[in-house]
Structure formats: C-alpha cells, structure tokens
C-alpha cells in the first residue's frame, strides 16, 4: 500500500480500499443487506466507490457481469500514523465478540505474520461473522484488527484519529491505556493496544444475507475526492 498518500490537513490524495465484486443482478440486494452495517458504523468509513463492468476502481478493471464496490480499508490509519513517524505494529485480524454494543473479547484470531491470505476473507468465507445481529441488536461477532503503538505516542495518535474522523475515515473502536490489556489481549510494557473495525464488515453482512462477493482486500488505492457516501449509492 505504498501508494497511499492521503493528506489529513488538505483532505487530498489517495486512500487504501478493499474491492468486492458482486454479481450484477444481486448488487441491489447486496446494498440493502449492507445498509444496517454502514448505518451502525461497523465499517472504517461510509465513503465508497462503485464501478460497473469495464470501468475501473483504482488499478482493478471490473469484469463482465460484475459490479465493483470499493470500501475504505483499515490500513488508512497505518498510513496516516507512519507518515508522522509513529511505529504502528499490526498484530492480527480476528473475530471480535460484541455484547451490549461494546467490544468484549477476540474469540478467533489469525496473526498477519503467519498468513498469506487476508484473514478477514477467510473468516467471511467460513461464515464466522454475525455483523447484522450486531447492527440490529448490539450482540454478535464482527471483523476487527489489533495493533500496538508505543505509549509515548498516544496523544499524537488520538489527535490523528480525530482528524481522520473529521474526514469520514478511521474505524477506531477502542484504544487502551499504557501496558493495559485490551479486550483480554495482554499488552507489552510501555505499549498501547488499539482495536480497529475491519473495512470488510459491510461485505460480511452481505455474505450473511446469502450474497457472496469476490474480495480483494487492501488491493488498491482510490482518490479521496472520488469517494461518495454510501447513502448516495443505496438510493
């Protein structure tokens, strides 16, 4: 994702996206299935891009009889923080249990270092999420990622998270205290644990409704100015 050059101050440049390819005839139904997840903010951003067959999303050309949906990827935060010199370490992707609309604990996890596939795609294919249940009742299982930063960087990270949020980006779910466990995950000395919502939760919601997509996680970047609100697409 070296092409990510989003500027927080000017809100210009490109952001990393996941591309999901849906069957053309099922795309309208998929949008309706994803709607509760977007409305409940179970996503990194409600900014998306749509392309029909023959058109492009970033570097990906949409194949015949497919519709492509670009959703913002959680590594948008990595890019923003690395630009500021914050050494953010991505540890793993997992299934996060939600109870009373709050994160409780990870019940499954795959470390990035031990996996060549995008872990979230594995979880979606295995039918391990219940994103729609979380959106409707505040109980269930969603996709999330766990990262760590040096404790000394926490104020800078909080400022950056606020700026991302103003731009309609982010996905931060929880940021712990120095050396404090986060959702039962032990945190090393002088480090802070961060849990970020996975950008593919909305696509997982569609899969739960029986609409499978071919997902390309963290596959390309799209100019921020070319993204639109999900509400504009679902009309």
């Amino acid at each position: 994702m070296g092409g990510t050059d989003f500027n927080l101050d000017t809100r210009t440049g490109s952001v990393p996206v996941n591309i999901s390819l849906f069957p053309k005839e099922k795309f309208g139904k998929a949008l309706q299935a994803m709607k509760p997840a977007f409305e409940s903010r179970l996503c990194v951003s409600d900014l998306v891009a749509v392309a029909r067959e023959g058109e492009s999303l970033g570097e990906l050309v949409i194949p015949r009889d497919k519709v492509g949906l670009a959703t913002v990827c959680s590594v948008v935060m990595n890019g923003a923080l690395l630009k500021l010199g914050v050494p953010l370490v991505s540890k793993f992707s997992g299934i996060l249990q939600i109870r009373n609309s709050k994160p409780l604990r990870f019940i499954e996890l795959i470390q990035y270092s031990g996996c060549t596939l995008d872990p979230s795609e594995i979880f979606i294919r295995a039918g391990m999420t219940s994103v729609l249940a979380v959106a409707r009742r505040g109980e269930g299982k969603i996709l999330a990622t766990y990262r760590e930063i040096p404790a000394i960087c926490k104020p800078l990270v909080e400022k950056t998270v606020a700026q991302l949020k103003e731009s309609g980006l982010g996905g931060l779910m929880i940021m712990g205290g120095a050396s404090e466990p986060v959702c039962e995950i032990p945190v090393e000395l002088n480090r802070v644990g961060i849990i970020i919502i996975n950008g593919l939760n909305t696509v997982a919601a569609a899969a739960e409704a029986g609409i499978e997509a071919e997902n390309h996680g963290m596959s390309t970047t799209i100019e921020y100015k070319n993204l639109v609100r999900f509400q504009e697409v679902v009309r």
Side-chain angles (χ1 to χ4, degrees):
M1 300 307 301
T4 305
D5 59 2
F6 183 65
N7 187 308
L8 275 170
D9 298 317
T10 61
R11 296 187 190 179
T12 56
S14 57
V15 294
V17 292
N18 308 302
I19 307 287
S20 301
L21 301 173
F22 290 93
K24 185 169 65 176
E25 71 279 4
K26 293 184 179 178
F27 188 59
K29 191 179 173 187
L31 289 176
Q32 292 302 321
M34 290 186 275
K35 195 176 175 183
F38 274 106
E39 290 175 345
S40 302
R41 289 287 183 184
L42 295 173
C43 52
V44 175
S45 172
D46 67 345
L47 294 170
V48 299
V50 174
R52 311 279 165 177
E53 61 179 80
E55 298 174 343
S56 297
L57 285 172
E59 294 157 15
L60 188 76
V61 178
I62 308 306
R64 191 176 172 187
D65 295 328
K66 299 282 187 183
V67 178
L69 176 73
T71 50
V72 178
C73 179
S74 60
V75 297
V76 69
M77 189 175 291
N78 293 47
L81 293 176
L82 289 171
K83 247 185 184 178
L84 297 170
V86 176
L88 184 84
V89 178
S90 296
K91 293 277 191 173
F92 61 80
S93 182
I95 297 284
L96 182 65
Q97 185 179 0
I98 305 294
R99 187 174 290 167
N100 298 323
S101 299
K102 291 180 180 171
L104 184 65
R105 63 174 178 261
F106 280 96
I107 55 173
E108 298 286 348
L109 58 90
I110 297 176
Q111 292 187 330
Y112 287 115
S113 58
C115 186
T116 52
L117 294 168
D118 181 355
S120 53
E121 292 176 44
I122 297 170
F123 293 131
I124 292 171
R125 276 189 214 157
M128 296 170 77
T129 65
S130 48
V131 174
L132 288 171
V134 175
R136 290 169 180 152
R137 300 188 296 276
E139 306 275 336
K141 296 170 285 185
I142 67 167
L143 301 164
T145 63
Y146 175 77
R147 287 152 202 195
E148 282 183 4
I149 56 163
I152 197 170
C153 297
K154 187 177 178 180
L156 179 57
V157 173
E158 287 173 331
K159 182 185 173 187
T160 305
V161 165
Q163 280 185 287
L164 282 166
K165 198 172 180 181
E166 284 168 17
S167 303
L169 306 168
L172 176 74
M173 192 156 220
I174 188 167
M175 190 184 311
S179 315
E180 288 180 3
V182 177
C183 290
E184 301 183 9
I185 300 292
V187 178
E188 290 176 35
L189 192 65
N190 297 323
R191 295 189 73 78
V192 166
I194 298 174
I195 294 174
I196 301 170
I197 290 174
N198 191 297
L200 285 172
N201 273 308
T202 50
V203 178
E208 289 165 27
I211 306 153
E212 295 286 339
E214 179 190 325
N215 295 310
H216 299 261
M218 302 183 287
S219 58
T220 188
T221 60
I222 289 182
E223 286 293 315
Y224 177 78
K225 65 182 180 186
N226 293 334
L227 297 170
V228 297
R229 300 272 173 204
F230 176 77
Q231 295 90 320
E232 293 175 37
V233 174
V234 80
R235 278 175 193 160

